[in-house]
Amino acid sequence: MKRYLRCTIALLLYGFTVRSQNLQLHVEIRDDKQSPVQNATVSLYQLPDSSLKFRKVVSADVNIPVNSQTNYLLKISVVGMETHTRNLFIADSSINIPVVLHPVVGNLGGVTVVSKKPLVKQEDDKTIVEAEPLANSSTNAYEVLEKTPGAIVDQDGNVYLNSTIPATVYINGREMKLSSADLTSLLKSLPAGSVSKIEILRTPSAKYDAASSGGIINIVLKKGVKLGTSGSANIAYFQGVYATQTAGVSINRGTGKVNSYLSYQFTRRNNFEELNSDRFISRDTSLLTQRSYTTYPYVNNYISAGTDITFTKKFNLSYDARFSYNKGNSYAINAIDITNGLSNNLLGKNESDINNSNKSTYFSNNISSKYKIDSLGSEWTAQVDYSYYSNNNGQDYRNLSYLPLKNPVSGDGSNLNRKNILTAQTDLTLKFPEKFTVEAGAKFSFSNSNNSSAYFKDTGNNNRFVDVYQTNTFRYKETVGAVYLQASKTIWGFTIKPGVRLELTDINGRQTVPKDTVLSIRRTDVFPYVYLKHNLFRIFNFPSMLVANIVIRKSIKRPYYEILNPYPRYVDQYLFDAGNPKLKPQFTTNYELNITYEDIPVIAVGINDTKDIFSNVTYQDPVTKIAYRTWDNLGKNKEIYARLVGGLPPGGKFFFYLGGQYNYNKYEGFYQGLPLNYKRGSWTFFMFQEWKLARTLTVNMQGFIRTKGLQNLYELNTFGGMFVSANKSFLKKKLNVILSVNDLLRTNHVSFKLQQGDVNASGERINDTRRIGLTIRYSFGIKPKEEKKTNFEGPSDSN
């Protein structure tokens, strides 16, 4: 660790020495209302040879390294505004230039739009991935997330960024506080076209919830546009083993200060999962072999609407609402053979038929406001969000025993899960001259969950009675209050941002059926955060400099409602899922050094040091051969990771973005009362490529691969996926026809091994992942205006 710190300090000092030889050109970009301009492209050319020295998409302000006694040409452009150009001479000191951009005046009706956003860009502490090229070959938001570069989604719906700790998933900046299964179901109910962008925060600052040890994935859903009346209609068909059909329409209306939108999407889908496993029972050397096949047909309706009102130049208010209704079923056939592991003689032969009918409802609405305090970018935001989620599941099953021959055992029941989440938040950002910023805020979150289940059983004598093992009532309330303060200052070329977050947690759970059990957690925690940034040096005569960033932060992962609920959930006659009300939260301290180029991540190395880690574990009864999947605090884990990303910038005919990450984990603790010492490393690779074969034809390819590694004590073999799509436009780019193939090589299935304690199991899971799809999308009305090129006595952007 000392050597790591010495190398880091030496690297920064070397960067400071190189940087001190350069001056700074500070450009402030405002519109004619003195509001900061977002997504402006700033280019700087050195004269007289017109060589490009700097280009970057910025928001409001930018600092550009320049040389003394040099002539430059500055060009600033943004969609919908006039392009600004200016000749500059840098003498012997840094200079500050205010720039005011004016809207383009003219009739927009005949203008064709070609505004292209980069797939990946960096803004402050988050990586932003534009969703459109990913959504073109997807049927829902879950598949968009699967294809996001740098995010790995397992078959249980957990998302991984830097580490083996799952990331926290937000929708529109709000944590959903759902189990991975419920969250997966929700994301699959959201249309792919409803996703605007994916925000990735690998090391969130004190502004964000501390419950983000694995980072944050924020799925930002689309809202209306602010230019006249427009809309789009879409229809798509995807065929794998089973088919998916989806169709929808969206309408946007912008009239001056009021902008509104409305969208609807219908989806009918069927999917399957094949699960094959072998579990060795050491007590009698028997082998339990399961072959399960399940289909999941469902129908979903999704509606979203909202409005945004601009009262003054400084104040606006918006309201958004979303509703999703999902009706589905599952049909499972589970064949089970029990053999002698030594002689291979058949000892038992069973079959389970399990049917589920499910209805789930999701409703979310949000009211938010923003007040612009000054022209420097200071602002005050406030918002209140309420979400409701319900899941009503009915189940019936039948267990047949052929060897030995026994009476069939049947059961049926229902489970109702309701969740209400209320969140209120306010944030204040104050920007001062001399690059000094202060941020402060407060947040209150309340979650109320109720779960009730009633099950009945018949052992074969036509006597239906209450199944007391599965009948359960559990109520859960979680209240988290938080305040934070952080400040950033640039001095001597260094930007330092320290912060602190205080969170008060109050959790209460009570099981009333089958017996009265109470859990209570009350705690107050402080989470420090430190961020340090400094320019390093240029390489290969690139126009911009490499930038080094150091982050140190502490975070928490709280056990959520579903894994605290002790209710046993029936999977099949030899497997149950159950929560653990005795779980403790786990704490992680993260240290990371990363290097960026033009705000794009390039290299990162880091350490995650986790205490009281809780993980999914499996225990089994050697007599009944029934396995119980639950959660337990196992001990501690130290993880070391390294990440490398590279690519070719967009703008030409070919663009690619690719990266690789290595994770090394060392577990120390106890499992089933025995010492647990486990070490394992794993590689992850991801890529995105785009070819512009013609003005109206684009081909995309995305893919990922994850080598053999460890997850929740399971050994996962290598798996991955490749996704290809071709987008052809017609009718002046109003009509798009998209042909796509998901999981082209059918490699996105997982085989696993579990060898811990007295559990020795292996198997594989296969889903309906390889599908070919055809999507047709038609856009109507007025589109955002394409930026027109202007003639000026300087070089073009193609240089």
Side-chain angles (χ1 to χ4, degrees):
M1 188 64 185
K2 291 182 178 179
R3 180 180 298 176
Y4 172 84
L5 291 175
R6 285 198 299 266
C7 292
T8 299
I9 293 171
L11 185 63
L12 289 176
L13 289 177
Y14 173 71
F16 175 73
T17 302
V18 176
R19 174 68 185 88
S20 63
Q21 299 173 2
N22 298 289
L23 305 176
Q24 289 281 342
L25 169 62
H26 179 71
V27 183
E28 299 177 356
I29 309 171
R30 302 291 185 267
D31 60 18
D32 53 5
K33 299 177 182 178
Q34 289 302 308
S35 297
V37 175
Q38 304 295 315
N39 299 320
T41 300
V42 179
S43 303
L44 185 70
Y45 303 90
Q46 183 172 319
L47 301 177
D49 60 356
S50 300
S51 60
L52 178 64
K53 295 301 180 182
F54 179 89
R55 177 182 292 153
K56 185 177 181 182
V57 178
V58 304
S59 296
D61 298 343
V62 61
N63 287 311
I64 307 174
V66 292
N67 297 321
S68 61
Q69 303 299 318
T70 305
N71 288 297
Y72 291 97
L73 176 71
L74 176 67
K75 177 185 176 183
I76 303 174
S77 60
V78 66
V79 174
M81 293 187 174
E82 295 178 350
T83 299
H84 176 91
T85 60
R86 179 183 297 191
N87 290 301
L88 303 171
F89 176 72
I90 307 299
D92 297 314
S93 61
S94 298
I95 62 173
N96 180 72
I97 296 179
V99 174
V100 178
L101 299 180
H102 300 281
V104 173
V105 179
N107 183 8
L108 303 182
V111 179
T112 303
V113 179
V114 190
S115 177
K116 186 75 174 178
K117 297 180 180 179
L119 174 72
V120 181
K121 64 179 180 179
Q122 191 79 12
E123 286 187 4
D124 296 328
D125 52 1
K126 59 188 174 186
T127 302
I128 298 177
V129 180
E130 291 299 328
E132 182 178 354
L134 310 179
N136 286 337
S137 60
S138 304
T139 62
N140 54 57
Y142 181 82
E143 292 183 3
V144 174
L145 190 57
E146 281 186 309
K147 298 169 185 175
T148 300
I152 302 299
V153 183
D154 68 16
Q155 290 185 311
D156 293 319
N158 297 303
V159 187
Y160 299 89
L161 298 175
N162 283 347
S163 70
T164 53
I165 301 174
T168 304
V169 178
Y170 287 17
I171 297 179
N172 285 344
R174 294 287 172 267
E175 182 184 357
M176 299 313 300
K177 296 185 181 296
L178 297 173
S179 67
S180 59
D182 288 339
L183 183 60
T184 297
S185 177
L186 174 60
L187 293 179
K188 288 181 178 179
S189 73
L190 300 179
S194 68
V195 182
S196 171
K197 57 186 176 182
I198 306 290
E199 296 180 344
I200 299 175
L201 294 93
R202 291 185 169 88
T203 55
S205 70
K207 180 179 181 179
Y208 299 93
D209 292 343
S212 54
S213 299
I216 293 175
I217 286 278
N218 183 28
I219 301 172
V220 181
L221 302 180
K222 287 182 178 178
K223 298 183 180 181
V225 298
K226 297 184 177 182
L227 187 61
T229 300
S230 64
S232 65
N234 68 86
I235 185 170
Y237 182 87
F238 293 81
Q239 182 66 55
V241 175
Y242 298 100
T244 296
Q245 307 96 29
T246 182
V249 62
S250 65
I251 300 174
N252 306 281
R253 176 66 173 167
T255 55
K257 295 183 178 182
V258 180
N259 303 279
S260 304
Y261 71 95
L262 174 67
S263 66
Y264 169 76
Q265 192 79 19
F266 171 84
T267 303
R268 183 191 301 275
R269 174 172 178 160
N270 199 356
N271 193 11
F272 80 86
E273 179 181 75
E274 181 181 341
L275 175 62
N276 305 314
S277 66
D278 297 302
R279 181 155 50 90
F280 183 73
I281 312 297
S282 59
R283 177 186 174 94
D284 56 7
T285 66
S286 60
L287 181 67
L288 192 151
T289 301
Q290 294 181 272
R291 301 292 180 260
S292 175
Y293 188 88
T294 308
T295 57
Y296 301 92
Y298 75 83
V299 173
N300 174 260
N301 293 273
Y302 172 81
I303 301 174
S304 65
T307 186
D308 182 279
I309 304 174
T310 301
F311 290 93
T312 68
K313 296 179 181 179
K314 292 186 175 182
F315 179 70
N316 77 289
L317 187 70
S318 63
Y319 174 79
D320 296 280
R322 291 173 175 83
F323 175 81
S324 174
Y325 177 73
N326 193 78
K327 184 177 181 180
N329 299 279
S330 68
Y331 308 102
I333 299 176
N334 188 4
I336 304 170
D337 291 339
I338 302 176
T339 58
N340 186 294
L342 300 178
S343 64
N344 207 31
N345 292 329
L346 186 63
L347 304 177
K349 190 175 183 64
N350 306 279
E351 181 180 303
S352 290
D353 299 330
I354 307 164
N355 299 322
N356 290 277
S357 60
N358 180 276
K359 297 178 181 179
S360 62
T361 302
Y362 168 70
F363 171 73
S364 175
N365 66 146
N366 170 274
I367 184 169
S368 61
S369 65
K370 177 186 289 187
Y371 178 73
K372 299 177 182 179
I373 299 175
D374 55 37
S375 61
L376 294 176
S378 301
E379 64 180 25
W380 174 40
T381 61
Q383 50 190 319
V384 178
D385 182 278
Y386 169 74
S387 299
Y388 171 79
Y389 178 81
S390 71
N391 186 7
N392 191 353
N393 187 77
Q395 183 184 77
D396 63 82
Y397 64 88
R398 193 163 185 252
N399 298 331
L400 304 174
S401 178
Y402 303 114
L403 181 67
L405 186 62
K406 297 181 181 179
N407 290 333
V409 176
S410 61
D412 64 277
S414 62
N415 177 265
L416 178 60
N417 183 6
R418 290 191 177 95
K419 187 183 294 286
N420 295 271
I421 303 172
L422 176 65
T423 303
Q425 180 175 347
T426 181
D427 299 282
L428 176 65
T429 300
L430 297 176
K431 293 191 175 183
F432 302 93
E434 304 299 329
K435 302 178 184 179
F436 179 53
T437 302
V438 176
E439 297 175 272
K443 182 178 180 180
F444 170 82
S445 176
F446 174 75
S447 174
N448 183 17
S449 303
N450 291 278
N451 179 279
S452 60
S453 61
Y455 274 80
F456 300 90
K457 197 173 183 179
D458 186 340
T459 56
N461 53 9
N462 294 321
N463 180 23
R464 185 169 177 265
F465 58 92
V466 175
D467 185 348
V468 295
Y469 183 67
Q470 293 193 78
T471 299
N472 172 277
T473 299
F474 186 71
R475 297 182 176 89
Y476 175 89
K477 294 182 179 180
E478 177 186 290
T479 303
V480 179
V483 293
Y484 75 90
L485 175 66
Q486 61 185 22
S488 63
K489 171 66 177 175
T490 300
I491 182 172
W492 299 329
F494 288 88
T495 298
I496 183 169
K497 182 165 71 172
V500 63
R501 186 178 184 92
L502 175 69
E503 292 193 350
L504 292 82
T505 305
D506 186 1
I507 294 176
N508 292 282
R510 184 176 183 181
Q511 176 186 263
T512 57
V513 177
K515 61 180 180 179
D516 201 328
T517 303
V518 177
L519 70 92
S520 178
I521 300 175
R522 291 181 176 85
R523 58 183 307 123
T524 301
D525 299 290
V526 178
F527 301 94
Y529 171 87
V530 177
Y531 169 80
L532 182 64
K533 173 183 176 181
H534 186 63
N535 288 347
L536 294 178
F537 43 82
R538 291 188 180 89
I539 57 173
F540 306 122
N541 294 320
F542 286 174
S544 300
M545 302 180 70
L546 294 176
V547 179
N549 308 271
I550 295 177
V551 179
I552 302 175
R553 63 186 291 260
K554 182 180 179 182
S555 59
I556 186 175
K557 183 179 180 183
R558 301 180 183 89
Y560 51 89
Y561 158 68
E562 283 77 8
I563 67 173
L564 291 171
N565 184 0
Y567 152 65
R569 292 170 290 280
Y570 180 89
V571 180
D572 59 57
Q573 65 190 91
Y574 289 101
L575 181 62
F576 286 84
D577 285 332
N580 180 2
K582 297 181 181 179
L583 278 180
K584 299 182 294 183
Q586 68 181 38
F587 292 88
T588 300
T589 303
N590 173 239
Y591 311 88
E592 179 174 300
L593 166 66
N594 63 70
I595 296 176
T596 61
Y597 177 76
E598 292 190 349
D599 287 334
I600 300 298
V602 178
I603 301 172
V605 292
I607 298 173
N608 288 315
D609 196 357
T610 304
K611 311 294 183 184
D612 289 327
I613 186 170
F614 59 81
S615 180
N616 191 215
V617 295
T618 302
Y619 301 114
Q620 67 181 8
D621 188 319
V623 178
T624 65
K625 299 179 175 60
I626 294 177
Y628 302 89
R629 291 188 304 210
T630 185
W631 297 79
D632 227 338
N633 293 103
L634 299 181
K636 61 182 181 179
N637 175 43
K638 177 170 284 189
E639 179 179 42
I640 302 173
Y641 62 88
R643 183 174 62 253
L644 177 64
V645 177
L648 185 67
K653 291 186 176 181
F654 177 66
F655 158 66
F656 75 90
Y657 176 87
L658 56 86
Q661 179 167 304
Y662 180 75
N663 295 76
Y664 179 81
N665 286 273
K666 180 181 179 182
Y667 286 92
E668 293 182 358
F670 291 88
Y671 180 58
Q672 293 186 334
L674 299 176
L676 172 68
N677 294 287
Y678 204 77
K679 302 175 183 179
R680 177 65 66 201
S682 177
W683 284 95
T684 301
F685 301 97
F686 52 88
M687 65 87 178
F688 177 92
Q689 300 183 54
E690 180 178 273
W691 295 271
K692 295 181 181 179
L693 302 182
R695 288 194 60 186
T696 59
L697 179 61
T698 302
V699 176
N700 292 327
M701 182 170 68
Q702 309 105 42
F704 78 94
I705 184 171
R706 187 172 183 178
T707 65
K708 183 177 181 180
L710 182 69
Q711 180 179 310
N712 284 331
L713 302 184
Y714 283 85
E715 288 271 8
L716 303 183
N717 285 334
T718 300
F719 67 98
M722 182 180 293
F723 315 91
V724 182
S725 66
N727 187 335
K728 173 67 175 177
S729 61
F730 303 89
L731 302 177
K732 296 182 179 181
K733 299 191 177 181
K734 290 183 178 181
L735 177 66
N736 289 80
V737 179
I738 303 155
L739 181 66
S740 62
V741 182
N742 286 340
D743 196 14
L744 178 64
L745 304 178
R746 205 183 181 189
T747 53
N748 194 13
H749 63 270
V750 175
S751 59
F752 61 86
K753 291 182 180 179
L754 177 63
Q755 293 179 323
Q756 294 293 331
D758 62 356
V759 179
N760 187 343
S762 62
E764 64 174 353
R765 293 172 63 180
I766 303 172
N767 295 86
D768 193 6
T769 54
R770 184 165 64 180
R771 300 187 314 281
I772 185 170
L774 179 66
T775 302
I776 300 174
R777 184 172 62 242
Y778 180 75
S779 301
F780 53 87
I782 299 176
K783 295 183 178 181
K785 183 181 183 302
E786 179 187 11
E787 175 188 332
K788 290 185 177 180
K789 292 184 179 180
T790 59
N791 296 322
F792 63 99
E793 67 241 23
S796 67
D797 278 348
S798 61
N799 285 348

